[in-house]
Amino acid sequence: MGGTTPMLTLDDGAGLYDLTLDGNKTANASIVATFSTLVYVTGRGTRIASCNFFQVPSTCVLTPASADGDTGSDLFIDNCYIKNTNKYCFVFRSNRCQVSNCTFFGTGINDGHAIRYGIYNVDNIAYPGCKVEGGSVTGCTFKYVNSGSCLFEWNAYNITFTGNTSSYTYGVKCEFATGEEAHNIVITGNYFEYGRFTPLYYDEVTETATQGTTPANRNAIAGFNCMFANNTFYEMQGVTLGNGSVASANLFNCCGSTTSGSIINTLENGNKSYIVANTIVPRSTDNPESIIEMYAGTAISNNMTGVAGQTIYGLQVQYNDNVIMNNFINTAQTAYRAVSTTIDSYFTNNTVANISGTETSIGSTSDTLVIYNPGMADLFKPSKTIASGVITLNGKYSRLMLETEGSAATDDLDTINGGFIGQVLTLSQTSSLRDVTVKNGTGNITLSGGDYNIQSSSHTITLMYNGSTWDEVARTA
């Protein structure tokens, strides 16, 4: 037996117990080296327990892909010890594979995560649309794993990674590229530490690790609709969230990057990601550019403290529909940054302290509202310039500053084009030197109290759109 033939094949209901495969021993090394896979599981409901895999050059356990995902499914691996392997330890392309109470030490020396769930491109070609669904990794220890503790790749669905400890390794990755995403992966109650650098090899004789000097990739990357909750990240880089993913109630004592980057960010396709109730405290020796960076996401009730003289932005946002509220932002050069492409975004009810530079940095064409943030001046963004008595809405505004045409001292607003039924809009002025009169009945604006003059920063009028006219709701005296 050799080449691509596995050393052992397990059929339905088979069990493998108390086996040690030790490639360190001269008598075993030449034999073990001939196999690309040691244990190949084709049956359902098999169990592997209390086994040891030492210094092996090949994949320790593999389940194959199939059209329904049931070949090799319902595998349970418990209390195994894997040390100094060259490649991936466990590769699961079948449904409902479980791993518990295993130790992975110095694995993936040449290539490979300790555990992989999902399919490869070649599997997708052979079995179009096949999925790997269900499964769990619980109570395991990962240390000096070259690539990462666990990789959830193509078409991995509904798998949990819970109560594990990961040291000196990348952490967890859920694929996020379009067409290759992992879905509904739940990562909860884990402890990730010292993942800033990548260990390349662990020498079991000298018991020392040869460690890389380049910062590792993100220590946790979420695919679509994935959940990171109640984890601790100590001296790691941080988390990247994909579309619909959530980071909630985690503790981050992270570096972000030595020179730039952020501790929590959402990918450009990370629409509708949620960052909720996390505690984020960079190490004093690190210099993340931002604590949180978002593309079309929501950040609520996070407690974040930057590094004095180093952290540039508390939060920075891009694209549209960002909501940042009820956060505590402490110690940064700028609390909030919105680039020019940011639209329909809101920064409100946040508590801001120890901001050394400008409180906000907002691109000239950015449509974002900054208001009601303790310790920070209100900024009524966005603004629209009146043209011949008309403004046109192109966003889901709730507040808008009015600029007079040609920066004239006075101007009239007769008509508001655009809007959606039920939209509520509060109008104010851009400058106390430029007054605007909102006209009743001249165009499509109906005011119960007649024309309204906006003559100071304290003057506002609130309107609601009924589908044809903007009707007055309230005004300041």
Side-chain angles (χ1 to χ4, degrees):
M1 296 174 67
T4 59
T5 304
M7 178 179 285
L8 298 171
T9 299
L10 301 183
D11 294 324
D12 286 0
L16 185 64
Y17 305 94
D18 300 314
L19 172 70
T20 295
L21 292 174
D22 190 349
N24 284 317
K25 295 184 177 179
T26 304
N28 297 339
S30 60
I31 298 174
V32 171
T34 63
F35 301 99
S36 62
T37 300
L38 299 184
V39 182
Y40 188 59
V41 181
T42 59
R44 297 181 60 181
T46 59
R47 181 182 177 92
I48 300 173
S50 302
C51 294
N52 301 311
F53 301 92
F54 298 152
Q55 198 71 38
V56 295
S58 49
T59 299
C60 298
V61 179
L62 169 68
T63 69
S66 60
D68 59 6
D70 279 345
T71 301
S73 64
D74 300 293
L75 168 64
F76 182 67
I77 303 177
D78 180 60
N79 194 35
C80 292
Y81 186 40
I82 304 93
K83 183 177 181 181
N84 279 46
T85 61
N86 279 354
K87 293 186 177 296
Y88 307 103
C89 301
F90 301 154
V91 177
F92 301 131
R93 305 179 194 173
S94 307
N95 298 330
R96 300 177 299 279
C97 294
Q98 301 178 62
V99 181
S100 65
N101 305 310
C102 293
T103 298
F104 301 83
F105 191 93
T107 63
I109 295 170
N110 293 331
D111 179 33
H113 294 73
I115 300 174
R116 296 182 72 160
Y117 283 90
I119 64 171
Y120 298 153
N121 185 37
V122 66
D123 302 322
N124 194 43
I125 293 172
Y127 307 103
C130 65
K131 297 179 180 179
V132 175
E133 296 194 76
S136 63
V137 179
T138 308
C140 293
T141 298
F142 304 86
K143 190 170 185 178
Y144 298 115
V145 178
N146 186 29
S147 289
S149 302
C150 200
L151 169 63
F152 301 95
E153 49 190 342
W154 288 26
N155 286 357
Y157 282 77
N158 305 318
I159 303 168
T160 61
F161 186 89
T162 306
N164 304 286
T165 299
S166 177
S167 305
Y168 297 99
T169 181
Y170 283 172
V172 173
K173 180 179 181 181
C174 306
E175 288 289 1
F176 56 85
T178 302
E180 304 175 11
E181 321 81 41
H183 295 256
N184 308 327
I185 309 301
V186 177
I187 298 96
T188 61
N190 303 285
Y191 186 83
F192 300 92
E193 66 176 357
Y194 303 118
R196 183 176 176 181
F197 298 106
T198 308
L200 301 179
Y201 179 71
Y202 185 84
D203 189 321
E204 67 171 359
V205 176
T206 62
E207 295 187 346
T208 59
T210 301
Q211 211 166 330
T213 57
T214 302
N217 293 326
R218 293 279 164 185
N219 302 118
I221 300 180
F224 281 18
N225 301 316
C226 297
M227 165 73 81
F228 283 86
N230 298 301
N231 302 287
T232 297
F233 297 86
Y234 180 72
E235 292 202 19
M236 306 286 280
Q237 274 196 282
V239 167
T240 298
L241 302 177
N243 198 338
S245 291
V246 178
S248 176
N250 301 285
L251 171 61
F252 294 90
N253 180 213
C254 296
C255 60
S257 174
T258 54
T259 57
S260 62
S262 55
I263 292 173
I264 302 179
N265 75 355
T266 65
L267 298 160
E268 291 190 28
N269 65 354
N271 297 325
K272 299 180 181 177
S273 296
Y274 297 88
I275 303 168
V276 182
N278 300 282
T279 299
I280 311 162
V281 185
R283 303 184 321 160
S284 61
T285 56
D286 295 317
N287 184 23
E289 181 182 62
S290 309
I291 298 176
I292 295 177
E293 181 175 2
M294 297 195 307
Y295 295 79
T298 298
I300 300 176
S301 300
N302 298 284
N303 188 326
M304 61 191 80
T305 301
V307 179
Q310 297 185 59
T311 302
I312 300 176
Y313 307 113
L315 291 108
Q316 60 175 328
V317 300
Q318 303 192 47
Y319 296 172
N320 57 303
D321 296 317
N322 293 282
V323 178
I324 302 100
M325 62 186 299
N326 299 331
N327 301 283
F328 176 61
I329 305 171
N330 183 19
T331 310
Q333 295 178 36
T334 298
Y336 172 73
R337 178 189 185 224
V339 302
S340 296
T341 57
T342 303
I343 63 173
D344 298 339
S345 294
Y346 306 88
F347 184 87
T348 184
N349 293 313
N350 302 284
T351 301
V352 177
N354 299 313
I355 304 303
S356 61
T358 58
E359 294 171 340
T360 58
S361 173
I362 297 179
S364 59
T365 61
S366 175
D367 291 334
T368 186
L369 168 68
V370 178
I371 188 171
Y372 305 137
N373 298 285
M376 183 172 169
D378 287 348
L379 179 61
F380 293 89
K381 280 274 193 174
S383 65
K384 288 289 180 182
T385 299
I386 299 169
S388 301
V390 178
I391 62 170
T392 298
L393 305 183
N394 56 6
K396 303 172 186 176
Y397 307 112
S398 62
R399 278 186 172 266
L400 197 62
M401 294 189 296
L402 298 174
E403 176 63 79
T404 59
E405 187 169 3
S407 299
T410 62
D411 204 348
D412 292 342
L413 175 65
D414 306 324
T415 300
I416 302 174
N417 291 328
F420 55 88
I421 295 176
Q423 182 173 3
V424 176
L425 180 65
T426 299
L427 302 175
S428 60
Q429 63 180 180
T430 59
S431 169
S432 60
L433 300 178
R434 294 189 284 276
D435 300 341
V436 174
T437 299
V438 182
K439 303 294 290 184
N440 173 44
T442 303
N444 69 343
I445 301 173
T446 302
L447 304 180
S448 58
D451 293 354
Y452 181 71
N453 297 317
I454 304 175
Q455 298 176 314
S456 74
S457 60
S458 64
H459 288 173
T460 63
I461 185 167
T462 301
L463 311 174
M464 178 182 287
Y465 188 53
N466 66 16
S468 59
T469 63
W470 288 87
D471 303 326
E472 181 176 348
V473 174
R475 65 172 73 187
T476 58

